[in-house]
Amino acid sequence: MGERFVVVPVDGGGVVTGEREHTDAVVSDPAPDSGGGGGTVEEKEAGEDSVFEPNDPNNVVPILEYNREPNKYGDGVPKENSPFINNTDNDKGNNYDGTNMALFEEEMDSNPMVSSLLNKLANYTNLTQGAQEHEEADDDDGPKKKTVKSPQMGTFMGVYLPCLQNILGVILFLRLTWIVGTAGILESLAIVGLCCSCTMLTAISMSAIATNGVVPAGGSYYMISRSLGPEFGGAVGLCFYLGTTFAGSMYILGTIEILLTYIVPKAAIFVAEKKEDEVDALLNNMRVYGTCCLALMAIVVFVGVKYVNKLALVFLACVILSILAIYAGVIKTIFEPPDFPLCMLGNRTLQNHNFDKCLKTEVIDNLTVTTDLWSLFCDGPELNATCNEYFVSNNVTLVQGIPGLTSGAISANMWSEYGPLGMLVEDKKLLSLGGSDPAQDIYLPYVVNDITTFFTLLVGIYFPSVTGIMAGSNRSGDLRDAQKSIPIGTILAIVTTSVIYVTCVVLFGACIEGVLLRDKFGDSVKGNLVIGTLSWPSPWVIVIGSFFSCCGAGLQSLTGAPRLLQAIARDGIVPFLQVFGHGKANGEPTWALLLTAGICEIGILIASLDAVAPILSMFFLMCYLFVNLACAVQTLLRTPNWRPRFKYYHWALSFLGMSLCLALMFISSWYYAIVAMAIAGCIYKYIEYRGAEKEWGDGIRGLSLNAARYALIRLEEAPPHTKNWRPQLLVLLNLDSDQSVKHPRLLSFTTQLKAGKGLTIVGNVLEGTYLTKETEAKKAEQNIKAAMAAEKTKGFCHVVVSSNLRDGISHLIQSAGLGGMKHNSVLMAWPGTWRQSNDQQSWKSFIETVRETTAAHQALLVAKNVDSLPTNQDRLGEGTIDVWWVVHDGGMLMLLPFLLRQHKVWKKCKMRIFTVAQMDDNSIQMKKDLQMFLYHLRLNAEVEVVEMHDNDISAFTYEKTLVMEQRSQMLKQMQLSKTEREREAQLIHDRNTASHAAMNDKAETGPERVHMTWTKDKLFTERTRNRECNANVAMRDLFNMKPNQSNVRRMHTAVKLNEVVVNKSQGAHLVLLNMPGPPRNRGGDENYMEFLEVLLEGLNRVLLVRGGGREVITIYS
């Protein structure tokens, strides 16, 4: 632990350069509380030589010397963020003198020297668990840390014995004989084999996980959560906690059953007056005494948990002595079977409580008198009294309860004897005359079944006797070599206990009479514990041993369960459990202990050991299932970090173990299994929904990556069918100078359009180089993600740094997405300020984006007045979504309103579809055809056909076109300064406005607005000068420069279509409109922007839609 490498200067001949130099050569250690990793070199005086740079470099060279002196690095406290991974805070400020590592000196802060890494590794220790852990961790704060003792426990003491103690327990002593008698030897062996196979397979999986790195405090919970992630970890951790808590209930109930049935039966508070009330009286006694016992145990755990840990060996000694007494008793039966006679009436077993002699009558002084047994079946002690018919018809016989190992009883006990509640325990070998009256039998002292028995019930009752295999991994911090001890100790313990159970099943069946085996409470042998009748030297050895064993197991459950809950609470994955992470000053989990005692009380109020056992079976089986799943997932994924030292595992074994756990859950009790799975499912979903984000490098994340990779490869095989097509959006966002989102409503609209389905990539481009803009890019990404979270937009964020905006958008359109998960549509906001902008790049980039999406066969959605779109909290009332279907481009216009109306914001809006008819079209027939088309598309919408007549092109259109062209031409030809360009553009605009006013005397120029920057004085000067111009001169100038006819036609279309749309849809909540493509000739780009402005004028919320060149909606199923 203390070895490390130090640098020692030597001369050229390899000799150490003296004692002083040797001393100085050792790198001085930092203060113990610094937690430093590499050791800082003490600062030298100005004239002092550095140890790494000797005076004569020709004579002395540094070498590495292996030094075994103790090391003071680190505080020994394990942290989840490993002490040697990314823990660079304490390394900063280290001075790395010398030239040997000069090449790496700038990276020393993030990449420490190997020597300092080895120092940290050598000193990495784990605190021991239990009370000592809490006391040391909380008392030793600050620089006065005590030296933590290195763990000393070996395999035998640290794993084997704790597992043995936890596995062997209450079921072995109180129920195994009854299970053997009821199920028979063969089926009992099947039950034992099933359960032990399940735990053995789980132990193999657990060994692989436990030896794949250091397992700190938390044991099984830690293993599962770090292997399967916080959701599964929390769900299974809480199931394991509930299992441990109900195990405490079971042990307490076992303790009270032993106390009241076998040690001091007279201590019972509730005494049954009638035989049929005995069961209820026993349950009530269990509830009262169980609650008192629980309170007492909770106080013991609260006051001094260290005494519980110290008494663990005493309790284990009780278990081992009891088992040895059983084997000794079995051997003794070969030579001298113990005398435990059973009194049989016919073939029925009698409860031997209220009579001493198994006789109906006896002769005393030549007189025949009746016995105590007579009075139990007759209405008086007289010989002529009226007696039970079956009592009269059958003889009373004595049968030896323990015939011995060589008696041949094994053949009679081979087969099962299941039966309903109240069934009489009978020996089929004995003669029985006359029928029985079930109505009378329940009042007579017969031994009967207290519950309905069947195979699956016995599996659920037996399974808790094989739990406890996690005891070794839970103590991993106490072990000298956990990675060696946990597999060997756990597997040896399971093998040992499996051998004990199998031999006990066979030996019980071979030594004990069948009717006594089926007598659960030993009523036929004067209330003795059945397994105690077999033991040597006395039944009291087993009774006392099992009593203390159950006590100890109950105390350990009440000690372990609160700590497990505290570990889960401190992980912070279940927010409402945070309070249970707190405790006393020394770390004792007080609140967790209170909750544990409360849940334990639920089990005690159930009061029946046979009813509680299947409950905890479910929770333990659920835990084991996920241990197997964790191992299988990690093995199949072949994650690089999966390198267990335990090599004897295989994913098939883990899957077999997982399947066996699942099967046993439903075999034991299908309704309990469903409840346990529902509880785990609810916890899983809660953690997924509310829990803190944790990244533990878990297998489920790896599984998700593998599944995603597989799905992406499958997706790439072919493009999606039209039926599966949905808009996969690339949203181009604008950010302001502070990297904040300019138009968050665009994200709201995305959410409403997608409703959480499909792919959404939110992209942004920063101008510059990545090396200079890295910080801004990360800030932009964080801001976008925050805006996406606020607007509930589910998707991915992609910020690109590019030398210019145009190239960045092009890169996004080309490369965003992966494989088959690429966007097929681009959503962006309309550049509303393109006219005011002095930079032409804004609208040129927009047009290039339109061209590139067309070239990439992607749909384009352009939202105008994006800030007026509704938020996710808005609920639009009665209104319409108007679709203006001018040209067919794949059906996007039909599909988008349908998708929007799936969201609650747009749910109440109706859909209207307008289409445009030319002069030679049959409007009525068009309407019918469109209605039929919508019917086949299964879309509900109102249909209207709008007729657009071939009107003459108005002077207004001519003028608008001329203004547009003149402005465009002058800005292109004249290389003016910024101020001059604004002035010239303003002059042209004002002159043409005046000309138009003189010609028409109408206010048709209202929509045209002045957007140029202009001072007030200059404005008045120019207006005065314009008024002085002759109107005729202005008209002549206008017609002297004739506009391009193509532009005039386009402007005419824009003007007329705008008039129609505004007339019909000005009050609509949203207008969807075909977006015309940009001109092929790039010289007319600015004119294109003007056409779109005219087309959209007077409309509030508009979505321009341009198809991607493929059909996106179909009439076929």
Side-chain angles (χ1 to χ4, degrees):
M1 295 290 288
E3 296 111 3
R4 57 198 178 107
F5 291 99
V6 294
V7 180
V8 179
V10 298
D11 62 13
V15 181
V16 178
T17 58
E19 195 63 34
R20 180 191 170 281
E21 288 87 344
H22 188 148
T23 308
D24 288 345
V26 179
V27 181
S28 61
D29 294 331
D33 60 335
S34 70
T40 54
V41 178
E42 292 181 344
E43 293 181 4
K44 309 288 182 189
E45 297 278 342
E48 187 178 347
D49 298 327
S50 166
V51 293
F52 293 106
E53 295 181 4
N55 290 330
D56 188 353
N58 296 319
N59 292 333
V60 184
V61 291
I63 65 165
L64 285 172
E65 177 181 271
Y66 197 56
N67 186 14
R68 300 185 64 88
E69 72 179 66
N71 203 300
K72 299 189 285 290
Y73 295 102
D75 57 10
V77 180
K79 298 177 177 61
E80 188 182 301
N81 54 339
S82 175
F84 40 85
I85 303 296
N86 294 334
N87 190 12
T88 60
D89 293 341
N90 296 320
D91 294 329
K92 293 184 179 173
N94 290 355
N95 299 316
Y96 295 91
D97 296 330
T99 56
N100 285 357
M101 295 294 160
L103 188 61
F104 301 97
E105 64 186 6
E106 291 186 355
E107 298 178 355
M108 288 293 184
D109 285 345
S110 56
N111 302 332
M113 295 268 294
V114 173
S115 56
S116 66
L117 172 69
L118 292 173
N119 271 324
K120 290 180 181 179
L121 280 168
N123 288 280
Y124 180 67
T125 59
N126 246 324
L127 281 178
T128 55
Q129 272 100 35
Q132 187 181 356
E133 171 192 2
H134 291 292
E135 287 163 13
E136 290 185 359
D138 284 289
D139 294 344
D140 305 340
D141 291 332
K144 297 182 180 178
K145 290 268 184 188
K146 296 176 189 172
T147 305
V148 179
K149 292 179 184 176
S150 58
Q152 292 300 321
M153 280 189 168
T155 304
F156 186 74
M157 288 295 292
V159 181
Y160 181 75
L161 289 182
C163 282
L164 215 62
Q165 181 188 355
N166 278 266
I167 295 171
L168 299 170
V170 61
I171 301 294
L172 170 64
F173 301 122
L174 295 185
R175 292 291 182 269
L176 192 58
T177 52
W178 173 72
I179 289 171
V180 173
T182 307
I185 293 173
L186 292 179
E187 290 187 28
S188 298
L189 287 174
I191 293 171
V192 172
L194 268 175
C195 297
C196 290
S197 302
C198 176
T199 52
M200 178 59 82
L201 292 169
T202 304
I204 291 170
S205 298
M206 187 194 74
S207 299
I209 298 171
T211 58
N212 187 48
V214 180
V215 179
S220 55
Y221 161 70
Y222 183 92
M223 288 191 301
I224 296 166
S225 61
R226 270 52 175 183
S227 296
L228 290 178
E231 293 89 0
F232 277 113
V236 180
L238 285 173
C239 282
F240 192 52
Y241 163 73
L242 290 171
T244 310
T245 306
F246 276 105
S249 300
M250 184 184 75
Y251 291 128
I252 291 171
L253 290 173
T255 304
I256 302 305
E257 185 175 308
I258 294 167
L259 181 73
L260 292 181
T261 311
Y262 308 114
I263 299 178
V264 278
K266 292 181 179 178
I269 298 171
F270 301 91
V271 180
E273 308 222 344
K274 301 177 185 175
K275 181 175 176 292
E276 63 269 25
D277 296 331
E278 284 178 359
V279 175
D280 291 334
L282 175 64
L283 294 181
N284 287 329
N285 284 318
M286 299 277 270
R287 289 182 181 110
V288 172
Y289 277 97
T291 304
C292 297
C293 183
L294 171 63
L296 190 64
M297 284 185 175
I299 291 168
V300 170
V301 170
F302 178 77
V303 171
V305 71
K306 60 183 76 173
Y307 301 117
V308 177
N309 293 335
K310 287 175 182 174
L311 287 171
L313 276 176
V314 176
F315 298 136
L316 177 62
C318 292
V319 176
I320 293 171
L321 284 173
S322 301
I323 291 169
L324 291 175
I326 293 167
Y327 283 115
V330 169
I331 294 168
K332 184 174 178 291
T333 61
I334 301 172
F335 315 107
E336 184 188 344
D339 183 32
F340 282 100
L342 307 177
C343 188
M344 309 292 293
L345 177 62
N347 64 357
R348 299 178 183 177
T349 315
L350 297 177
Q351 291 185 352
N352 192 358
H353 288 301
N354 299 320
F355 59 92
D356 295 321
K357 298 178 180 176
C358 188
L359 298 168
K360 291 184 182 180
T361 59
E362 59 180 336
V363 178
I364 298 175
D365 299 332
N366 293 326
L367 288 174
T368 303
V369 295
T370 58
T371 62
D372 293 337
L373 181 61
W374 179 281
S375 58
L376 293 175
F377 285 89
C378 303
D379 56 7
E382 301 83 13
L383 287 170
N384 59 353
T386 306
C387 295
N388 179 270
E389 183 184 343
Y390 188 84
F391 179 75
V392 174
S393 305
N394 291 274
N395 292 325
V396 176
T397 53
L398 274 176
V399 174
Q400 192 52 255
I402 315 279
L405 193 61
T406 55
S407 64
I410 190 168
S411 57
N413 293 329
M414 200 65 73
W415 309 107
S416 60
E417 290 281 350
Y418 301 118
L421 170 68
M423 186 186 85
L424 300 172
V425 175
E426 299 175 336
D427 186 348
K428 304 294 185 196
K429 301 190 299 294
L430 298 177
L431 183 65
S432 176
L433 301 173
S436 62
D437 182 5
Q440 292 298 318
D441 290 344
I442 59 172
Y443 301 108
L444 298 173
Y446 294 126
V447 177
V448 297
N449 281 359
D450 65 329
I451 56 171
T452 303
T453 53
F454 43 90
F455 178 77
T456 57
L457 172 79
L458 298 187
V459 173
I461 291 173
Y462 173 75
F463 187 81
S465 66
V466 296
T467 61
I469 61 171
M470 301 285 189
S473 64
N474 288 345
R475 301 165 66 90
S476 56
D478 296 341
L479 302 174
R480 192 181 305 117
D481 184 358
Q483 300 197 354
K484 177 185 173 187
S485 298
I486 289 174
I488 296 172
T490 305
I491 291 171
L492 273 179
I494 291 173
V495 169
T496 306
T497 52
S498 299
V499 169
I500 290 171
Y501 284 130
V502 169
T503 53
C504 281
V505 165
V506 175
L507 294 174
F508 292 165
C511 294
I512 304 175
E513 186 63 43
V515 287
L516 179 55
L517 284 173
R518 295 199 298 281
D519 182 3
K520 185 187 286 186
F521 300 109
D523 291 323
S524 58
V525 283
K526 292 190 177 294
N528 273 304
L529 181 61
V530 175
I531 198 173
T533 61
L534 184 61
S535 65
W536 179 86
S538 163
W540 285 101
V541 174
I542 294 278
V543 172
I544 300 301
S546 59
F547 177 78
F548 281 113
S549 165
C550 291
C551 269
L555 280 170
Q556 292 211 320
S557 294
L558 286 178
T559 306
R563 278 181 173 68
L564 181 59
L565 183 62
Q566 189 180 41
I568 298 168
R570 285 183 172 174
D571 258 347
I573 55 173
V574 186
F576 70 82
L577 291 181
Q578 296 280 2
V579 66
F580 298 109
H582 308 300
K584 290 197 293 186
N586 65 348
E588 286 299 312
T590 311
W591 294 107
L593 178 62
L594 285 173
L595 180 67
T596 303
I599 296 172
C600 215
E601 179 64 17
I602 295 171
I604 286 168
L605 292 176
I606 294 172
S608 169
L609 189 70
D610 303 321
V612 172
I615 296 175
L616 69 105
S617 294
M618 289 308 121
F619 291 123
F620 277 119
L621 280 165
M622 182 82 74
C623 180
Y624 296 166
L625 184 149
F626 282 105
V627 170
N628 285 301
L629 176 63
C631 181
V633 166
Q634 299 276 33
T635 308
L636 287 174
L637 288 177
R638 296 193 183 100
T639 50
N641 192 49
W642 180 245
R643 303 185 298 275
R645 290 196 176 279
F646 179 77
K647 300 297 180 188
Y648 306 101
Y649 68 94
H650 193 270
W651 64 266
L653 290 176
S654 299
F655 266 116
L656 181 61
M658 189 175 72
S659 307
L660 201 53
C661 288
L662 193 63
L664 282 172
M665 284 176 71
F666 283 92
I667 286 172
S668 304
S669 173
W670 64 267
Y671 44 89
Y672 279 158
I674 291 171
V675 170
M677 292 171 84
I679 290 171
C682 289
I683 298 166
Y684 178 95
K685 293 307 290 182
Y686 176 80
I687 296 172
E688 187 180 57
Y689 178 66
R690 289 291 308 277
E693 289 294 324
K694 295 282 181 182
E695 176 51 63
W696 287 332
D698 50 87
I700 293 298
R701 186 171 177 81
L703 191 63
S704 302
L705 285 170
N706 264 26
R709 182 184 64 86
Y710 175 75
L712 284 170
I713 291 170
R714 289 289 305 274
L715 274 174
E716 197 148 20
E717 289 177 1
H721 191 273
T722 303
K723 289 186 286 188
N724 297 328
W725 194 96
R726 65 165 62 245
Q728 317 286 10
L729 289 179
L730 168 63
V731 184
L732 298 178
L733 273 188
N734 293 326
L735 303 181
D736 58 22
S737 56
D738 294 331
Q739 311 305 330
S740 299
V741 177
K742 269 188 184 177
H743 304 296
R745 295 286 178 92
L746 199 61
L747 292 174
S748 306
F749 186 71
T750 305
T751 305
Q752 294 154 24
L753 186 61
K754 301 291 291 179
K757 304 292 190 301
L759 174 71
T760 302
I761 302 172
V762 180
N764 175 253
V765 178
L766 294 179
E767 289 192 73
T769 61
Y770 186 70
L771 291 176
T772 58
K773 295 279 187 177
E774 180 193 1
T775 309
E776 290 179 38
K778 287 180 179 175
K779 183 182 177 185
E781 192 168 336
Q782 288 174 354
N783 290 344
I784 291 173
K785 284 181 177 175
M788 289 171 70
E791 301 297 338
K792 298 179 181 176
T793 306
K794 294 180 181 177
F796 308 98
C797 174
H798 196 168
V799 176
V800 171
V801 181
S802 179
S803 56
N804 61 72
L805 189 66
R806 174 70 251 115
D807 290 346
I809 293 175
S810 178
H811 294 157
L812 274 176
I813 290 172
Q814 291 176 64
S815 62
L818 181 65
M821 282 294 279
K822 287 183 73 70
H823 62 278
N824 55 30
S825 307
V826 177
L827 172 62
M828 60 191 300
W830 169 257
T833 59
W834 70 274
R835 276 179 175 163
Q836 293 96 316
S837 175
N838 298 319
D839 185 10
Q840 297 183 12
Q841 282 303 113
S842 62
W843 56 266
K844 283 188 175 178
S845 293
F846 173 78
I847 296 172
E848 287 302 307
T849 304
V850 177
R851 287 196 173 102
E852 286 193 359
T853 53
T854 305
H857 301 290
Q858 294 173 4
L860 178 65
L861 313 177
V862 180
K864 188 193 175 192
N865 295 336
V866 66
D867 292 326
S868 69
L869 288 168
T871 65
N872 291 325
Q873 285 72 40
D874 293 338
R875 299 291 179 269
L876 297 179
E878 297 295 329
T880 60
I881 301 174
D882 287 359
V883 177
W884 284 84
W885 193 22
V886 181
V887 293
H888 179 63
D889 57 359
M892 277 282 285
L893 283 168
M894 307 290 183
L895 188 62
L896 293 176
F898 169 76
L899 294 174
L900 277 175
R901 291 179 67 232
Q902 305 302 305
H903 197 275
K904 49 196 172 186
V905 172
W906 302 88
K907 203 170 186 67
K908 293 184 180 178
C909 295
K910 293 180 180 176
M911 181 175 163
R912 294 194 302 180
I913 295 183
F914 297 90
T915 189
V916 177
Q918 302 299 322
M919 281 297 293
D920 52 351
D921 290 331
N922 184 339
S923 302
I924 298 171
Q925 188 60 42
M926 273 181 72
K927 186 171 183 177
K928 287 181 180 176
D929 292 345
L930 184 53
Q931 285 172 334
M932 183 56 67
F933 180 57
L934 290 175
Y935 176 77
H936 286 309
L937 288 176
R938 289 92 64 203
L939 294 175
N940 296 320
E942 296 177 18
V943 175
E944 189 170 337
V945 178
V946 177
E947 295 182 354
M948 285 185 66
H949 302 292
D950 283 340
N951 292 344
D952 293 335
I953 297 172
S954 66
F956 171 66
T957 304
Y958 267 111
E959 188 215 349
K960 265 192 109 59
T961 312
L962 183 62
V963 170
M964 176 185 75
E965 290 189 357
Q966 284 178 328
R967 182 174 178 230
S968 178
Q969 280 297 111
M970 291 196 71
L971 288 177
K972 282 179 185 174
Q973 291 172 4
M974 298 172 66
Q975 299 296 324
L976 303 173
S977 67
K978 177 181 173 184
T979 311
E980 290 171 329
R981 189 184 305 132
E982 288 176 356
R983 183 172 179 277
E984 290 294 326
Q986 186 67 36
L987 283 171
I988 293 167
H989 182 273
D990 286 354
R991 193 173 72 193
N992 284 297
T993 305
S995 302
H996 188 268
M999 189 172 65
N1000 292 315
D1001 280 333
K1002 291 181 181 177
E1004 290 180 358
T1005 55
E1008 195 70 23
R1009 292 174 187 163
V1010 177
H1011 291 295
M1012 298 302 177
T1013 305
W1014 201 244
T1015 64
K1016 193 173 182 183
D1017 293 338
K1018 288 184 179 179
L1019 179 64
F1020 285 132
T1021 306
E1022 292 299 332
R1023 279 185 179 173
T1024 306
R1025 193 164 63 183
N1026 284 336
R1027 288 195 190 101
E1028 292 170 358
C1029 292
N1030 190 295
N1032 293 329
V1033 175
M1035 191 179 296
R1036 186 168 65 249
D1037 289 344
L1038 177 66
F1039 285 103
N1040 280 345
M1041 181 181 178
K1042 293 189 176 180
N1044 182 294
Q1045 287 303 310
S1046 172
N1047 285 343
V1048 171
R1049 287 200 312 275
R1050 286 188 173 91
M1051 184 63 80
H1052 176 70
T1053 305
V1055 170
K1056 298 305 291 182
L1057 192 56
N1058 175 258
E1059 285 178 7
V1060 175
V1061 174
V1062 169
N1063 183 38
K1064 296 282 187 183
S1065 301
Q1066 197 164 22
H1069 286 315
L1070 183 65
V1071 177
L1072 283 83
L1073 192 62
N1074 282 118
M1075 182 178 186
R1080 290 189 179 89
N1081 177 17
R1082 293 176 186 269
D1085 282 358
E1086 191 175 5
N1087 298 341
Y1088 173 70
M1089 295 297 289
E1090 286 283 0
F1091 294 144
L1092 292 181
E1093 278 285 6
V1094 171
L1095 184 61
L1096 303 178
E1097 202 164 11
L1099 296 171
N1100 184 18
R1101 297 174 184 153
V1102 186
L1103 189 66
L1104 288 172
V1105 180
R1106 186 160 174 74
R1110 61 162 293 170
E1111 292 293 327
V1112 301
I1113 195 165
T1114 178
I1115 63 173
Y1116 299 106
S1117 62

